[in-house]
Amino acid sequence: MYEEAAPPERLAGVARCVWRSASAGPKRIVPDGCLDLVVGDGEAFIAGPDTAAWSSVTRAGAELHGLRFVPGRAGAVLGVAADELRDSRVPLGELWGREGELLAERLLAGEMTPAEAVASRLPEVPPPDPAVAELVNRLAAGVPRVADAVALLGQRDAAAPLTQPHGDPGLAAAALAQHDRGRAAAPLARPSGDPRLAAATFTHPDRGHPSATTSPDLAAERAEDPPSTSERRLRRRFVQAVGYGPATYLRVSRFQRAVALAPHAPNLASLAASAGYADQAHLSRDCRALTGLTPRAYFRPASTVDTTARDRLHSA
């Protein structure tokens, strides 16, 4: 059993969903670019961003509850860079000491839900880094290369802001397609004539967190940076926010797009083309790396590893 629901309104832009899950046996969890707060079976922990599959094993009849963060927002809420949690399951006590232990006790006792626990930390959470947020959405929408997504940052139409689909490969594709059709006739000028410098105007260097506004002097100073410098800055911020670099996130989101499209694809070659892979061999390589299975084993209707086809899309 796996059920998902929209998060409370106050968590908009921070949480992608809340969920509950129960499994009769081990469940294969594949990378989805997200971090989760997981509660149940005597544990309360943060499941970090994964780069490979792992098995969730619980006692018979145990039920897990959780909250899935929007890609790029967990680190700000948790107070730790997301890349420090990569491929890890970290108990709240290890993350926050005694405060985390007390919070875990309340969560396990049912005195607080995962959504309430996250909401209690919102007053301390800085606003999102706009360049990282848009890069996440561009990558999830299916651009073929990271360089293409970075270039698009400099072409955003201020009069028609990009809808924030929170890094979901399906929702992002629709939102970005609509946005790009609307601005195709009149693209904005790129900073300093180089699309790679677009990222340099998004961060205020004298504040403790990313800001959506930058003074003219600071913007000019950023624009003077060599392209390689501004790209490195953006990549560093992306890694800290998401948990791994843009290239890995692109790989993960492309595979999640394949998972979403799999029920409608007549064969693996068609699935690979629809999801944005170069060819079927490309899909096969990524599937093996991210799930430990061949595409035929992973995408077949009845998996011997996963509880249901729907469970394959989500972390537990």
Side-chain angles (χ1 to χ4, degrees):
M1 177 274 293
Y2 178 87
E3 294 179 351
E4 212 175 84
E9 288 187 11
R10 64 183 181 278
L11 295 180
V14 172
R16 174 181 282 182
C17 69
V18 293
W19 54 264
R20 66 188 186 101
S21 174
S23 179
K27 187 170 70 170
R28 185 179 301 265
I29 308 301
V30 303
D32 63 359
C34 298
L35 287 81
D36 287 56
L37 169 59
V38 184
V39 179
D41 201 22
E43 297 182 291
F45 61 92
I46 297 296
D50 297 313
T51 59
W54 61 282
S55 289
S56 174
V57 181
T58 57
R59 291 175 300 144
E63 187 171 297
L64 301 179
H65 298 261
L67 177 142
R68 183 161 300 119
F69 290 96
V70 167
R73 295 298 286 142
V77 176
L78 302 175
V80 61
D83 59 313
E84 295 184 21
L85 305 174
R86 184 190 303 141
D87 293 320
S88 301
R89 295 347 118 204
V90 183
L92 295 187
E94 291 185 17
L95 192 64
W96 295 323
R98 182 56 180 163
E99 177 188 352
E101 292 175 354
L102 293 175
L103 178 59
E105 290 176 3
R106 295 189 64 190
L107 286 166
L108 290 168
E111 298 174 4
M112 176 181 282
T113 66
E116 290 170 338
V118 171
S120 69
R121 301 183 64 85
L122 289 185
E124 304 173 6
V125 177
D129 181 324
V132 169
E134 187 164 350
L135 182 54
V136 164
N137 288 333
R138 292 286 178 184
L139 295 172
V143 294
R145 299 182 307 161
V146 172
D148 297 330
V150 173
L152 287 169
L153 293 179
Q155 302 176 28
R156 181 172 170 179
D157 188 343
L162 179 67
T163 301
Q164 296 293 331
H166 307 317
D168 182 276
L171 295 178
L176 288 168
Q178 180 179 6
H179 172 72
D180 289 340
R181 284 195 299 270
R183 64 161 173 78
L188 292 181
R190 299 169 181 171
S192 301
D194 190 328
R196 294 175 297 179
L197 294 182
T201 64
F202 282 99
T203 300
H204 192 309
D206 296 336
R207 295 181 58 177
H209 56 72
S211 171
T213 58
T214 310
S215 72
D217 291 341
L218 289 170
E221 179 183 341
R222 289 284 183 179
E224 292 175 359
D225 287 336
S228 58
T229 301
S230 58
E231 287 182 13
R232 284 197 300 270
R233 282 201 181 103
L234 178 58
R235 185 186 185 282
R236 182 168 60 248
R237 283 152 44 201
F238 191 99
V239 169
Q240 292 173 341
V242 175
Y244 30 64
T248 299
Y249 185 80
L250 176 60
R251 187 185 202 190
V252 168
S253 61
R254 183 169 50 217
F255 184 74
Q256 283 295 320
R257 190 160 52 253
V259 173
L261 293 170
H264 313 290
N267 52 56
L268 290 176
S270 175
L271 176 61
S274 299
Y277 288 94
D279 50 32
Q280 185 175 333
H282 187 190
L283 169 63
S284 296
R285 289 193 299 272
D286 277 10
C287 187
R288 285 179 180 273
L290 296 173
T291 74
L293 297 173
T294 66
R296 292 192 184 281
Y298 186 77
F299 290 110
R300 65 190 179 194
S303 171
T304 59
V305 179
D306 306 295
T307 305
T308 66
R310 179 175 172 80
D311 281 346
R312 295 204 294 272
L313 284 90
H314 306 286
S315 300

